[in-house]
């Protein structure tokens, strides 16, 4: 997984590396902040100024039997601090835009995992990183549960709208995900009429807030083998026009393309991609890729 923090800087996991980009957007490893090992960061997200990262220690090979704490790391000093322990069962988190990196919105699975008793209510929480206190924004129990891997929600650049997926599990046949909005100032919740192919959904607002980057993927996308149902695309939020991006990286066939993020100028994306071996569905190692000139 990668996140674009500055025009010439990307962070990638695992391990947690800082990559420097040249004028052609070719990356070269600069610094390792956290080396490979267990536990290790997988999910990462940046602050608005790119000087801090949120990450979750979640060894994917151990899911769903392991879920990790939520940490924040200073990208300048490498100093990290734990924001929430594993009992909070955090899936993913983003900094609240306009909060100067002092407030975080995170999703908790609640008491779904085995072994968590009297856990938090499933839903989205607002955490004040200075006081260490949090409050429940909106309840939401993921129908897909831990199969969701990472809850692909986001908050609009103006800090007003929480946009989150309603993903379903594959029991009895795949169901198409829905998209819900929650207006933070008013507390009004709505479900959009957008339709997507069945499986799971990840979303990221563009820097200017008028576009949405989305990724459809299936629950076995990070397994040894996969049925390869995925796509990455962009939605124009003014017109709702949708276009699918050409992200396949395997010259010999198909690839699984996951968890895209925008560049700071909204012109390029960075995403993870792993080759799929034809009819066998065997998934190879994932690498980080940049798709240039999306807009």
């Amino acid at each position: 997984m990668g996140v674009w923090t500055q025009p010439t800087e990307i962070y990638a996991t695992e391990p947690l590396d800082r990559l420097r980009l040249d004028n052609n957007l070719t990356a070269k490893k600069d610094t390792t902040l956290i080396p490979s090992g267990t536990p290790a960061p997988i999910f990462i997200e940046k602050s608005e100024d790119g000087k801090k990262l949120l990450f979750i220690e979640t060894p994917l090979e151990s899911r769903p039997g392991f879920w990790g704490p939520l940490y924040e790391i200073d990208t300048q000093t490498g100093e990290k601090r734990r924001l929430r322990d594993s009992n909070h069962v955090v899936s993913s988190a983003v900094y609240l835009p306009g909060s100067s990196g002092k407030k975080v919105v995170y999703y908790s699975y609640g008491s779904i995992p085995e072994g968590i008793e009297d856990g938090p209510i499933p839903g989205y929480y607002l955490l004040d990183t200075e006081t260490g206190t949090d409050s429940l924004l909106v309840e939401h129990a993921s129908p897909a549960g831990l199969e969701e891997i990472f809850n692909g929600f986001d908050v609009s650049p103006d800090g007003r709208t929480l946009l989150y997926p309603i993903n379903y599990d594959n029991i009895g046949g795949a169901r198409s995900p829905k998209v819900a909005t929650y207006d933070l100032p008013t507390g009004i919740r709505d479900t959009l009429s957008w339709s997507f192919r069945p499986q799971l959904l990840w979303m990221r607002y563009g820097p200017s807030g008028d576009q949405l980057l989305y990724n459809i993927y299936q629950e076995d996308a990070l397994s040894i083998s996969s049925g390869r149902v995925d796509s990455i695309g962009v939605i124009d939020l003014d017109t709702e026009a949708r276009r699918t991006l050409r992200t396949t990286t395997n010259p010999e066939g198909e690839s699984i393309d996951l968890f895209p993020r925008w560049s700071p100028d909204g012109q390029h994306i960075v995403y993870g991609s792993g080759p799929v071996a034809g009819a066998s569905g065997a998934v190879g190692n994932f690498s980080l890729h940049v798709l240039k000139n999306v807009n």
Side-chain angles (χ1 to χ4, degrees):
M1 179 177 286
V3 60
W4 212 313
T5 54
Q6 305 290 344
T8 59
E9 180 181 85
I10 288 176
Y11 284 83
T13 60
E14 157 199 18
L16 181 54
D17 286 334
R18 178 167 57 219
L19 309 176
R20 299 296 189 187
L21 303 175
D22 62 19
N23 292 334
N24 294 318
L25 301 182
T26 301
K28 181 179 181 180
K29 187 171 75 171
D30 177 81
T31 305
T32 296
L33 276 72
I34 301 176
S36 295
T38 301
I42 300 296
F43 174 88
I44 53 175
E45 192 56 83
K46 71 179 184 69
S47 60
E48 288 179 281
D49 61 8
K51 294 182 179 180
K52 293 188 290 186
L53 295 177
L54 298 170
F55 72 87
I56 299 172
E57 291 180 345
T58 310
L60 294 173
E61 66 274 13
S62 299
R63 267 196 177 278
F66 179 93
W67 46 94
L70 171 64
Y71 284 92
E72 179 180 71
I73 187 168
D74 186 310
T75 59
Q76 310 303 305
T77 66
E79 180 180 356
K80 70 175 185 177
R81 62 170 176 154
R82 189 173 67 182
L83 301 179
R84 283 292 174 262
D85 63 25
S86 59
N87 288 327
H88 286 81
V89 202
V90 178
S91 159
S92 46
V94 301
Y95 286 99
L96 181 68
S99 69
S100 300
K102 297 177 182 178
K103 293 185 178 180
V104 170
V105 179
Y106 70 85
Y107 177 73
S108 171
Y109 288 117
S111 301
I112 293 176
E114 182 180 353
I116 292 293
E117 297 179 0
D118 300 322
I121 296 171
Y124 297 90
Y125 289 79
L126 179 63
L127 167 65
D128 187 317
T129 63
E130 292 190 317
T131 65
T133 58
D134 61 11
S135 57
L136 179 64
L137 292 173
V138 58
E139 291 186 31
H140 171 70
S142 168
L146 292 173
E147 298 302 324
E148 196 167 10
I149 306 176
F150 302 122
N151 184 291
F153 78 94
D154 201 11
V155 178
S156 58
D158 61 7
R160 183 182 180 93
T161 303
L162 169 66
L163 189 76
Y164 61 95
I166 304 175
N167 288 318
Y168 297 93
D169 62 29
N170 205 17
I171 297 176
R175 297 175 61 186
S176 299
K178 296 180 179 180
V179 178
T181 62
Y182 179 79
D183 188 83
L184 295 174
T186 65
I188 296 175
R189 180 163 40 175
D190 193 14
T191 302
L192 303 181
S193 60
W194 296 346
S195 62
F196 293 92
R197 288 188 302 173
Q199 293 300 328
L200 306 177
L201 183 64
W202 160 282
M203 299 174 290
R204 283 295 179 270
Y205 278 100
S208 61
D210 59 353
Q211 289 184 309
L212 187 73
L213 188 62
Y214 70 88
N215 177 203
I216 302 167
Y217 67 98
Q218 62 183 37
E219 60 189 38
D220 63 1
L222 292 169
S223 303
I224 296 175
S225 62
S226 172
R228 189 7 183 116
V229 178
D230 74 281
S231 64
I232 293 175
V234 176
I235 297 175
D236 184 304
L237 295 178
D238 292 328
T239 65
E240 297 190 5
R242 189 182 308 185
R243 55 191 170 98
T244 302
L245 303 178
R246 288 180 168 269
T247 55
T248 300
T249 59
N250 182 7
E252 299 179 357
E254 296 181 319
S255 62
I256 294 179
D257 308 319
L258 298 172
F259 310 133
R261 260 68 170 262
W262 295 97
S263 61
D265 61 4
Q267 296 301 306
H268 321 291
I269 66 168
V270 60
Y271 63 101
S273 182
V276 179
S280 69
V283 180
N285 292 330
F286 281 83
S287 300
L288 208 60
H289 293 262
V290 169
L291 183 63
K292 302 178 184 179
N293 302 316
V294 171
N295 288 315

